[in-house]
Amino acid sequence: MENNLENIPKNNPFSVPEGYFNESRSRVANAIFLDKLKSRVTSDGFTIPDAYFSELGGEISAAIATENLKVLGSTTEYTVPKGYFEQLQSNIVARTSAKREASVLKLWHSSLMKYASAACFVILSTTGFYFYQQHAPSLKTAYNDMATEQMLYDIDEDVIIDHIRDNNLQQVNATATDVALENYILSNYSQNEIASDL
Amino acid sequence: MKQVEDAEIIAKFSEEKTRDEAFNLLLTKYQQKIYWHIRRLVIDHDDADDLVQDTFIKVWKNLAKFRSDSQLYTWIYRIATNECITFLNKKKQRNNTSLDEVSEELAQTLVESTYFNGDKVQLKLQQAILTLPEKQRLIFNMKYFDDLKYEDIAEITGTSVGALKASFHIAVKKIEAFMLNDDVTF
């Protein structure tokens, strides 16, 4: 009799997840803690306003009705002709681009104006050049005099006197005073001459 | 009062003339369960009230498309859970805060709430739950307070039963440590 119980090996065909027995102690401790907790804490402690649940159904129904109205309102309130928005956009673009075009103003309406303007320009340029040529030398001289004068003021008087004494003014009376000598120089020599000698 | 079967609610809802009646039956059957599920996640009553309404508006809009390959109540729980997670994420973004700071904020709301009259141990338990990561908090609440089966929680959260058991185990350990640390006797 092959199917006799004594012929079947005594192996345990069942298995458990890996690490099950290692964690079983902790699992039991958890279960004990939860059991204690549940017996001590029977409710979560939260409360609600009076008659809240009896009114909640009505509030939810009202909220749903409002949602339905929103849907109805958004779909059937107003309509526009077919293709209206495409046309609207192109109309707006056309009008705004027409306004944006810059207007071109012609400065020269006829060729006569061109030639007259050119002639005026030539006359003005020539006249200006002529007057510049006429007045330029006197201006230059004036500028030179001013520069020389400034230079003389900057040089010490004693230097000027010593210089004249050492050069061509030796025939002048040596007994003359400095004031007389200065007067003599200023009355007999131009500022340019003194500046060039110095 | 005899509870109406989900199949009956769905069948009535599919008929235009009995749609409102079906929805009233659904509200009567689930509004409290869904409210408490949401309330434990967002703590504040007014926030929970808004989210319950949002949840049932979504249920109303989508119930006609509901396929019976899942249970009606796990489907509603799933909608409610998603609403809560979206709400908490928005809260995080709006206040530019981390998850830990949101938990602290919720714990503060709990202490200041007019609609919380729990004793010291109940308050301590809620504070301990608020220290958990969002998913562990969700799993602990559904297992401990709602007494849902792991298979149903798996359907609601989209997580495997094995992972759920591990999460619940870790959550209980953390709560135990939190409560014993504060010398709460029970």
Side-chain angles (χ1 to χ4, degrees):
Chain A
M1 294 284 279
E2 284 180 0
N3 288 336
N4 262 354
L5 198 61
E6 52 198 40
N7 293 332
I8 299 171
K10 259 189 170 177
N11 289 342
N12 181 5
F14 300 104
S15 63
V16 292
E18 204 180 331
Y20 175 76
F21 289 111
N22 295 337
E23 292 166 12
S24 63
R25 197 174 158 185
S26 161
R27 227 184 295 275
V28 171
N30 254 10
I32 292 167
F33 168 73
L34 279 176
D35 191 55
K36 277 187 190 172
L37 192 66
K38 274 195 174 176
S39 62
R40 175 63 183 84
V41 185
T42 49
S43 76
D44 53 22
F46 292 111
T47 58
I48 46 167
D50 292 338
Y52 174 68
F53 285 120
S54 59
E55 290 164 9
L56 182 60
E59 279 179 29
I60 292 168
S61 299
I64 288 169
T66 312
E67 282 289 307
N68 290 341
L69 278 176
K70 273 186 203 167
V71 173
L72 284 173
S74 64
T75 53
T76 60
E77 204 170 0
Y78 296 108
T79 57
V80 291
K82 200 179 171 187
Y84 169 75
F85 288 109
E86 289 80 4
Q87 186 60 42
L88 178 69
Q89 190 177 343
S90 57
N91 286 348
I92 292 167
V93 170
R95 290 181 71 172
T96 50
S97 62
K99 276 187 181 174
R100 257 187 267 125
E101 270 179 23
S103 55
V104 179
L105 295 175
K106 279 195 171 181
L107 192 58
W108 314 113
H109 292 287
S110 66
S111 54
L112 179 67
M113 279 295 288
K114 283 183 202 170
Y115 295 125
S117 302
C120 286
F121 177 74
V122 171
I123 290 164
L124 283 171
S125 310
T126 315
T127 312
F129 182 71
Y130 173 75
F131 277 104
Y132 176 75
Q133 288 294 326
Q134 291 296 311
H135 294 281
S138 61
L139 279 171
K140 270 185 184 172
T141 311
Y143 288 141
N144 286 342
D145 288 346
M146 279 173 71
T148 307
E149 196 172 342
Q150 184 61 43
M151 198 160 65
L152 283 173
Y153 279 119
D154 291 342
I155 298 170
D156 189 62
E157 283 174 353
D158 292 333
V159 175
I160 297 169
I161 292 162
D162 290 342
H163 177 77
I164 292 167
R165 273 187 191 148
D166 291 345
N167 291 297
N168 56 348
L169 294 176
Q170 285 172 355
Q171 71 275 18
V172 176
N173 191 354
T175 58
T177 62
D178 288 348
V179 175
L181 195 59
E182 189 179 343
N183 288 337
Y184 173 80
I185 292 164
L186 291 174
S187 55
N188 288 287
Y189 294 91
S190 73
Q191 289 171 340
N192 281 337
E193 284 170 331
I194 297 167
S196 62
D197 279 342
L198 290 173
Chain B
M1 199 174 95
K2 188 180 165 278
Q3 287 276 20
V4 188
E5 291 296 320
D6 288 350
E8 191 184 335
I9 293 172
I10 294 164
K12 283 189 171 178
F13 194 83
S14 64
E15 300 286 329
E16 183 72 44
K17 60 180 181 184
T18 51
R19 183 163 291 174
D20 288 345
E21 184 200 342
F23 198 71
N24 282 332
L25 290 170
L26 182 141
L27 281 178
T28 308
K29 189 173 180 180
Y30 290 115
Q31 65 177 6
Q32 292 201 28
K33 282 181 184 171
I34 294 300
Y35 170 85
W36 289 117
H37 173 63
I38 291 172
R39 178 75 190 275
R40 287 184 198 111
L41 288 173
V42 299
I43 307 297
D44 182 61
H45 165 72
D46 292 324
D47 291 338
D49 184 41
D50 289 342
L51 290 167
V52 170
Q53 294 190 29
D54 293 345
T55 301
F56 280 107
I57 288 169
K58 282 203 170 161
V59 170
W60 168 267
K61 282 180 178 171
N62 296 290
L63 190 57
K65 289 181 261 173
F66 174 74
R67 297 282 167 266
S68 300
D69 48 1
S70 61
Q71 297 178 79
L72 182 62
Y73 87 92
T74 56
W75 181 70
I76 300 172
Y77 259 81
R78 195 177 186 134
I79 294 172
T81 305
N82 288 339
E83 287 292 312
C84 290
I85 290 168
T86 307
F87 170 82
L88 292 172
N89 286 338
K90 276 185 188 168
K91 198 169 184 150
K92 265 184 270 175
Q93 285 168 1
R94 195 170 50 238
N95 302 342
N96 200 19
T97 50
S98 66
L99 188 69
D100 287 347
E101 285 167 319
V102 169
S103 297
E104 282 171 23
E105 224 179 284
L106 292 177
Q108 190 62 30
T109 307
L110 183 71
V111 173
E112 292 167 358
S113 176
T114 321
Y115 298 113
F116 183 83
N117 64 0
D119 60 17
K120 196 183 166 190
V121 182
Q122 285 170 321
L123 177 65
K124 200 73 207 169
L125 174 59
Q126 288 302 325
Q127 286 170 336
I129 294 168
L130 283 170
T131 63
L132 300 174
E134 208 165 77
K135 198 150 191 178
Q136 282 178 21
R137 194 152 75 89
L138 185 66
I139 293 161
F140 183 84
N141 280 337
M142 284 194 279
K143 188 69 194 156
Y144 184 83
F145 291 110
D146 297 335
D147 220 8
L148 295 185
K149 288 184 230 161
Y150 279 120
E151 287 73 18
D152 293 341
I153 300 172
E155 208 173 294
I156 293 161
T157 57
T159 316
S160 71
V161 171
L164 281 179
K165 282 182 178 176
S167 285
F168 182 68
H169 181 72
I170 294 165
V172 174
K173 279 268 156 221
K174 284 181 185 173
I175 288 168
E176 187 179 10
F178 185 92
M179 296 191 77
L180 294 177
N181 194 32
D182 211 52
D183 293 336
V184 176
T185 50
F186 50 88

